[in-house]
Amino acid sequence: MSQYMNLFIEESNEHLQTMNDVLLELEKNTDNISLINELFRVAHTLKGMSGTMGYTNMADLTHEMENVLDGVRNNRIKINENITDVLFECFDALDEIINYIAANGKEMDKANDDLIEKLRNLVNVEEKSVQEESNGKTQKIQLDNYVVNVINEARNKGLNAFNILVTLSHNCMLKSARAFVIINTLDSLGDIVYSNPSAEDIEDERFDFEFSVILVTDVDKNSLLEKLYDISEVEKVEINLVENQEVQVLEKEKAGSENVIVEEHKNIDSIDSKDMKSDTKDKVKKVNKVAKTVRVDIDRLDNLMNLASELIIIKNRMDDLSGTSNKEDMLQAIEYLERITTNLHNAVMKVRMVPIERVFNRFPRMVRDLSKELNKRVNLQMYGESTEVDRTVIDEIGDPLIHIIRNSLDHGIEYPQDRIKLGKPETGNIVLKAYPDGNNVVIEVTDDGCGIDFEKVKKKSIERGLITEQEAEKISEEELANILFEPGFSTSDTITEISGRGVGLDVVKNKIESINGTIELESQRNKGTKFTIRIPLTLAIIQALLIKLKDETYAIPLSSITEIISVNKDSIRSIQKQEIMLYRGKTIPIVRLDKLMGLETDELLEEYIAVVVRKGDKLAALLVNSLIGQQEIVIKPLGKYLSYIKYFSGATILGNGDISLILDVNSFV
Amino acid sequence: MASNIQDKYVTFNLGKEYYGLPIENVLSIEKPSKRTRIPNAPDYVIGLINLRGEVIPVIDLRTKLGMEKNDVDKNSRIIIVKENEIVVGLMVDSSKEVLDINKEDIDKPPSSENNPIIEFISGIGKKDERLIMILNLMKLLDLRS
């Protein structure tokens, strides 16, 4: 079972994402029948999947959703805001169920009775109100009495009548022969009671690439599909049950009704389409373990394959060369090897990259809910969703972005009436933009709201004693913007559900710095605010300073180093056993790394080398024995077994094959 | 006698005693290489090794089982094991062959409190007059013990 679990979670999340997108679209555009069809397909697939896995609550819920959606599709129920809201609730419930399954490996006991009740009510109430105005404008296929009788008779015997639409592939050479094979196959499974075009026309190849038949059979739909897809040159098969009320007329519109399985077949076929776009799924679980997965474009894997085979070629060449002493050839081979390893490195990095879409796609829903709650009108625009970042970054960047967008909505965008007074369009804009810039990815969040009132920030900072009045006179807006990132700072006068409690920007800043990123803020009064976040493309490779303690080598991430200074022993003071020193007018703690690492401290020296490191706005001076230099290092995890060991964030392998531990600066400051 | 993968054990020596590990848990057996000390780690964690680009912690099995420490010599081996997502190397005196031991030939360990070795043993296997102590990796790698 657990082997299917990953797949189930992954696919469910994918379908839920589709559901979310479609629901948002549907809200704007309630008349679009294809959106309803899409929703129906998703609900149906989820029902099937959860049923197979034995998650009955989920299957029940999706089943009721299906009923409502089916009603909407058949004009029995009129779509309105109430319905979309309930559907959104269902989406949330499904999301919760999936997350619970992912975390616990089983479904939660709580059934969603109230939601199911709501859905049932929708079906009952709405059906009545719409019944009168319903009018089928859909295209119909007239069936003659004979066929109708046969179908009715068959149904009485407990047989199924299917309307089967077969599409042949466009490079099919002998259409009639192919059609003959299909019809023969169907004939062996049941009775064909009707065909369009007629049997003779099919035989004489007087049809395009598709034809439909009605088959009376005791075989079920899935096995029919299976049989038909076994035949080559069949591009697509749609099978619909001919239902009771439709026996008189077959509505062609119905084609969408039960073709879920067909859709899936199509997806598998079109490997190069969006399905294979590198795309990862949320935390997938294997019995209480969260595994991270990455979906990879097949081209990228091919590229890796090629590079690996080139490595083998060069290895063989090196083998040959080892016998000779021609230095020229050897150097050439090494150069070649270098090129391959660089390419290999790039290729592997690319495999780890996923589009930032993964993070972005939850925002439309969030903005929708928040703006409803706040009675504001906001339009969210997103650009550069396909910008790629490392898989590990994806997990970290979500929360800070949520914070910023909430801030923009709550404090930035004004109420519609205020906006009109200011001569701005009633609907506010929040623009989310991502683009690569060298070795970084830049994410910008811009709103056209009220901007930051720097005078107010100034006043608050004086009140809080962060700056003096004299300092306030000449402080620049840039410096004031930095104060906004201080812990506990909020300019909002009122505390709301969404933000304003002062936990915010400092958390955002910390989180972004923890992945070696930076955040900046620009704001203009009444024009709006812009946050610019820069994050490194990958976390697996960082710049580090290598240092020595006795004969052991350690690495300190360069991003957390402020400065390297030499410290005279006289400037080190001791307060309650904690050594401190004065650094740029601030007292900062001193950490004797050698002692901390269990090495004997050298006898007292006159001068020490100190690496000043920073976490947020806190500093500490790490005393080291000597410096080796700056190097790009590959971070290797220490593994689960050593997870409780303090002071290290990982290890790296140096050029000579030795291992050096990476110091976790956060644990010293 | 059909040989079943579940009945196969990788055996090794600590002093004169024979020990065994289920073969499913053993990834490879390596010769000792240069180790990097891990500051502030328990005494039985003797360092990190670079195993073909992977960083792997090594446990000195003697220390872990409360035996006297032995010098690493040319017979010493590091058995790389995996249990529940944890990969570590176990330093042993020397590695021996892979043995088939039937379930019927494995006895329960004698119950004994306060014996550090017994605590980590899941059973005692008998094969050709030899007694093989089969280690309980789950317990051995439990961070709390």
Side-chain angles (χ1 to χ4, degrees):
Chain A
M1 191 72 150
S2 67
Q3 77 210 68
Y4 301 115
M5 183 72 90
N6 277 347
L7 201 66
F8 171 74
I9 304 275
E10 197 163 305
E11 287 195 354
S12 302
N13 278 322
E14 211 166 287
H15 288 302
L16 282 180
Q17 187 52 52
T18 319
M19 189 183 272
N20 188 19
D21 294 346
V22 175
L23 274 172
L24 285 168
E25 189 62 32
L26 182 70
E27 203 171 43
K28 290 189 213 133
N29 190 357
T30 44
D31 301 330
N32 195 336
I33 192 80
S34 67
L35 291 175
I36 297 285
N37 281 332
E38 179 74 26
L39 274 181
F40 184 90
R41 270 197 287 275
V42 173
H44 184 85
T45 313
L46 285 174
K47 180 175 100 175
M49 283 164 56
S50 51
T52 318
M53 296 294 285
Y55 301 136
T56 45
N57 286 340
M58 186 174 164
D60 289 348
L61 182 62
T62 40
H63 177 75
E64 295 299 332
M65 284 177 79
E66 232 184 33
N67 284 348
V68 172
L69 290 166
D70 194 43
V72 173
R73 204 173 48 187
N74 297 330
N75 281 324
R76 287 202 308 275
I77 301 175
K78 187 118 184 66
I79 188 120
N80 57 28
E81 200 173 322
N82 187 19
I83 294 183
T84 46
D85 280 349
V86 173
L87 288 175
F88 266 120
E89 274 180 53
C90 293
F91 165 78
D92 290 338
L94 286 173
D95 199 38
E96 196 188 341
I97 293 174
I98 297 290
N99 284 337
Y100 188 89
I101 293 172
N104 302 289
K106 61 177 179 19
E107 197 174 42
M108 58 185 123
D109 301 324
K110 176 187 93 169
N112 303 80
D113 291 334
D114 48 333
L115 256 183
I116 289 178
E117 194 55 42
K118 270 190 201 172
L119 288 166
R120 288 207 177 122
N121 283 341
L122 282 181
V123 178
N124 296 338
V125 176
E126 299 291 336
E127 257 185 11
K128 276 181 218 132
S129 66
V130 185
Q131 242 156 29
E132 295 91 50
E133 43 179 300
S134 77
N135 50 343
K137 277 176 279 179
T138 45
Q139 210 184 335
K140 294 160 193 171
I141 306 167
Q142 292 289 343
L143 299 179
D144 57 37
N145 279 340
Y146 164 73
V147 177
V148 174
N149 284 339
V150 174
I151 293 173
N152 279 334
E153 209 172 293
R155 187 171 287 117
N156 291 339
K157 282 189 211 149
L159 298 175
N160 288 326
F162 289 113
N163 182 26
I164 304 171
L165 179 68
V166 182
T167 311
L168 296 175
S169 79
H170 283 246
N171 43 24
C172 177
M173 295 301 288
L174 296 162
K175 285 191 291 180
S176 61
R178 191 55 65 193
F180 178 74
V181 173
I182 293 165
I183 287 174
N184 251 359
T185 310
L186 289 174
D187 237 353
S188 69
L189 298 166
D191 288 327
I192 295 176
V193 293
Y194 171 80
S195 86
N196 177 31
S198 68
E200 289 119 86
D201 282 349
I202 292 178
E203 214 168 292
D204 296 343
E205 231 169 68
R206 277 201 295 271
F207 68 108
D208 231 359
F209 287 96
E210 48 179 66
F211 61 91
S212 66
V213 297
I214 290 180
L215 181 76
V216 175
T217 174
D218 57 350
V219 178
D220 68 2
K221 197 170 90 182
N222 289 351
S223 21
L224 271 180
L225 275 174
E226 208 175 294
K227 283 264 162 38
L228 288 172
Y229 275 114
D230 273 347
I231 302 169
S232 58
E233 292 181 326
V234 172
E235 189 165 279
K236 198 170 139 200
V237 181
E238 276 180 34
I239 301 183
N240 302 311
L241 200 59
V242 181
E243 282 166 28
N244 261 337
Q245 61 267 44
E246 300 164 46
V247 171
Q248 295 301 324
V249 279
L250 263 180
E251 295 172 17
K252 209 167 193 182
E253 189 72 30
K254 276 272 148 72
S257 78
E258 295 226 359
N259 56 3
V260 187
I261 296 142
V262 181
E263 287 295 320
E264 283 182 358
H265 276 279
K266 260 172 31 190
N267 277 347
I268 293 163
D269 288 345
S270 52
I271 272 174
D272 53 342
S273 74
K274 71 161 199 244
D275 214 24
M276 283 306 290
K277 225 164 59 179
S278 51
D279 182 40
T280 49
K281 287 302 117 210
D282 274 319
K283 288 150 194 140
V284 180
K285 76 145 259 174
K286 284 196 267 162
V287 196
N288 297 336
K289 282 174 248 134
V290 179
K292 285 180 184 167
T293 57
V294 178
R295 278 208 187 187
V296 180
D297 195 312
I298 197 101
D299 289 346
R300 292 185 176 176
L301 284 183
D302 284 349
N303 191 15
L304 267 184
M305 237 349 241
N306 282 339
L307 286 166
S309 45
E310 273 193 69
L311 263 187
I312 294 169
I313 295 169
I314 188 73
K315 183 204 138 263
N316 291 339
R317 189 159 143 199
M318 292 241 176
D319 272 349
D320 287 349
L321 286 172
S322 64
T324 69
S325 57
N326 190 335
K327 208 173 166 208
E328 184 92 347
D329 285 354
M330 198 63 186
L331 284 177
Q332 235 176 42
I334 289 171
E335 220 166 82
Y336 182 43
L337 182 65
E338 247 172 37
R339 194 172 54 80
I340 296 169
T341 46
T342 313
N343 285 345
L344 198 60
H345 175 197
N346 285 337
V348 172
M349 259 190 34
K350 277 213 175 113
V351 169
R352 291 179 55 94
M353 302 290 247
V354 290
I356 203 152
E357 203 175 6
R358 274 281 317 280
V359 182
F360 278 17
N361 57 24
R362 66 172 111 154
F363 293 140
R365 171 73 196 281
M366 191 185 92
V367 169
R368 167 200 177 266
D369 288 356
L370 275 182
S371 51
K372 265 197 168 176
E373 201 177 305
L374 291 168
N375 284 321
K376 291 183 179 180
R377 307 190 71 175
V378 182
N379 179 22
L380 176 72
Q381 294 168 42
M382 302 197 292
Y383 301 100
E385 293 108 309
S386 53
T387 309
E388 294 189 319
V389 289
D390 194 87
R391 175 71 179 82
T392 35
V393 173
I394 286 280
D395 290 338
E396 302 298 325
I397 197 68
D399 289 345
L401 280 177
I402 289 178
H403 247 112
I404 293 173
I405 295 175
R406 284 180 162 213
N407 254 322
S408 290
L409 258 159
D410 198 19
H411 305 320
I413 305 287
E414 309 91 336
Y415 290 99
Q417 59 270 31
D418 297 338
R419 288 184 66 91
I420 293 170
K421 271 186 224 150
L422 285 165
K424 291 183 184 180
E426 205 182 348
T427 307
N429 267 314
I430 294 181
V431 181
L432 197 56
K433 200 197 249 174
Y435 56 91
D437 178 31
N439 268 332
N440 292 300
V441 170
V442 181
I443 303 171
E444 292 175 1
V445 184
T446 318
D447 68 61
D448 64 349
C450 61
I452 287 163
D453 186 347
F454 282 111
E455 282 308 309
K456 204 161 150 190
V457 176
K458 221 183 255 183
K459 238 177 76 198
K460 284 245 173 174
S461 346
I462 297 169
E463 264 169 45
R464 287 174 177 258
L466 294 167
I467 50 169
T468 63
E469 292 205 29
Q470 288 94 318
E471 280 173 324
E473 301 263 303
K474 45 189 174 181
I475 197 163
S476 67
E477 291 204 341
E478 208 173 299
E479 284 168 295
L480 278 171
N482 279 331
I483 290 182
L484 285 173
F485 291 107
E486 297 280 329
F489 197 91
S490 172
T491 53
S492 182
D493 296 325
T494 49
I495 288 169
T496 67
E497 169 78 16
I498 293 121
S499 54
R501 256 168 264 162
V503 255
L505 288 179
D506 64 312
V507 179
V508 169
K509 194 179 182 191
N510 267 343
K511 189 92 186 176
I512 287 170
E513 281 178 352
S514 76
I515 50 171
N516 296 322
T518 60
I519 178 163
E520 281 163 39
L521 177 154
E522 267 172 64
S523 182
Q524 244 184 316
R525 195 76 189 117
N526 287 332
K527 288 271 167 60
T529 311
K530 176 168 149 190
F531 285 90
T532 310
I533 299 170
R534 264 166 204 282
I535 39 174
L537 269 181
T538 175
L539 296 183
I541 296 168
I542 59 163
Q543 289 285 340
L545 175 74
L546 296 184
I547 56 129
K548 265 216 142 102
L549 300 174
K550 299 265 175 176
D551 54 351
E552 293 177 356
T553 308
Y554 293 87
I556 306 174
L558 213 57
S559 56
S560 50
I561 297 177
T562 314
E563 200 181 349
I564 298 165
I565 52 172
S566 67
V567 181
N568 193 284
K569 79 168 197 306
D570 294 334
S571 57
I572 301 176
R573 305 277 153 74
S574 183
I575 296 176
Q576 287 182 341
K577 285 185 185 165
Q578 169 66 59
E579 287 182 300
I580 55 157
M581 63 174 276
L582 210 61
Y583 173 74
R584 300 192 176 191
K586 271 173 118 179
T587 49
I588 62 171
I590 284 177
V591 181
R592 286 184 188 267
L593 276 183
D594 43 7
K595 206 166 141 199
L596 206 60
M597 296 301 136
L599 297 164
E600 267 171 52
T601 313
D602 277 338
E603 327 89 78
L604 295 173
L605 296 169
E606 277 296 309
E607 289 266 299
Y608 292 97
I609 303 167
V611 179
V612 182
V613 293
R614 177 179 52 95
K615 175 199 176 191
D617 51 355
K618 282 190 277 181
L619 298 169
L622 311 179
L623 298 191
V624 305
N625 291 161
S626 63
L627 304 170
I628 297 174
Q630 182 184 334
Q631 210 175 87
E632 204 166 61
I633 58 167
V634 180
I635 300 176
K636 301 269 177 186
L638 283 180
K640 218 166 148 188
Y641 191 66
L642 295 177
S643 55
Y644 64 97
I645 302 254
K646 273 204 294 187
Y647 306 133
F648 305 109
S649 56
T652 190
I653 295 172
L654 302 175
N656 58 5
D658 286 359
I659 294 171
S660 142
L661 289 158
I662 303 168
L663 295 171
D664 178 15
V665 169
N666 290 341
S667 62
F668 302 119
V669 183
Chain B
M1 183 184 72
S3 74
N4 195 332
I5 186 108
Q6 268 127 36
D7 295 336
K8 284 190 188 293
Y9 294 87
V10 174
T11 61
F12 57 90
N13 277 129
L14 290 180
K16 287 191 175 113
E17 307 290 351
Y18 282 86
Y19 290 82
L21 285 166
I23 200 164
E24 306 150 289
N25 293 108
V26 177
L27 299 180
S28 65
I29 298 173
E30 308 289 332
K31 286 190 176 168
S33 55
K34 193 174 171 187
R35 295 187 302 280
T36 301
R37 187 182 70 95
I38 310 167
N40 307 314
D43 58 346
Y44 55 82
V45 181
I46 52 174
L48 294 167
I49 54 164
N50 170 6
L51 182 67
R52 295 176 281 275
E54 286 298 316
V55 174
I56 291 170
V58 180
I59 294 172
D60 184 51
L61 203 52
R62 280 176 157 270
T63 319
K64 177 77 188 174
L65 298 181
M67 291 188 244
E68 222 167 273
K69 230 180 163 142
N70 208 359
D71 283 339
V72 173
D73 59 24
K74 66 176 178 24
N75 288 324
S76 299
R77 291 290 179 273
I78 297 173
I79 302 178
I80 311 291
V81 294
K82 183 178 182 179
E83 166 70 39
N84 191 19
E85 303 286 295
I86 294 178
V87 178
V88 297
L90 301 175
M91 180 74 86
V92 301
D93 288 357
S94 64
S95 69
K96 298 283 168 197
E97 69 269 55
V98 175
L99 289 179
D100 284 298
I101 307 174
N102 287 332
K103 283 217 169 55
E104 308 86 71
D105 294 334
I106 298 176
D107 294 337
K108 280 223 168 89
S111 67
S112 149
E113 291 164 24
N114 299 331
N115 187 334
I117 300 184
I118 300 291
E119 193 191 335
F120 296 121
I121 281 170
S122 63
I124 297 175
K126 285 169 292 184
K127 183 91 182 179
D128 314 327
E129 305 292 301
R130 263 187 301 176
L131 291 182
I132 295 143
M133 284 179 263
I134 295 162
L135 290 173
N136 182 343
L137 266 183
M138 201 109 90
K139 271 231 175 98
L140 197 71
L141 302 184
D142 190 346
L143 303 175
R144 279 159 300 181
S145 67

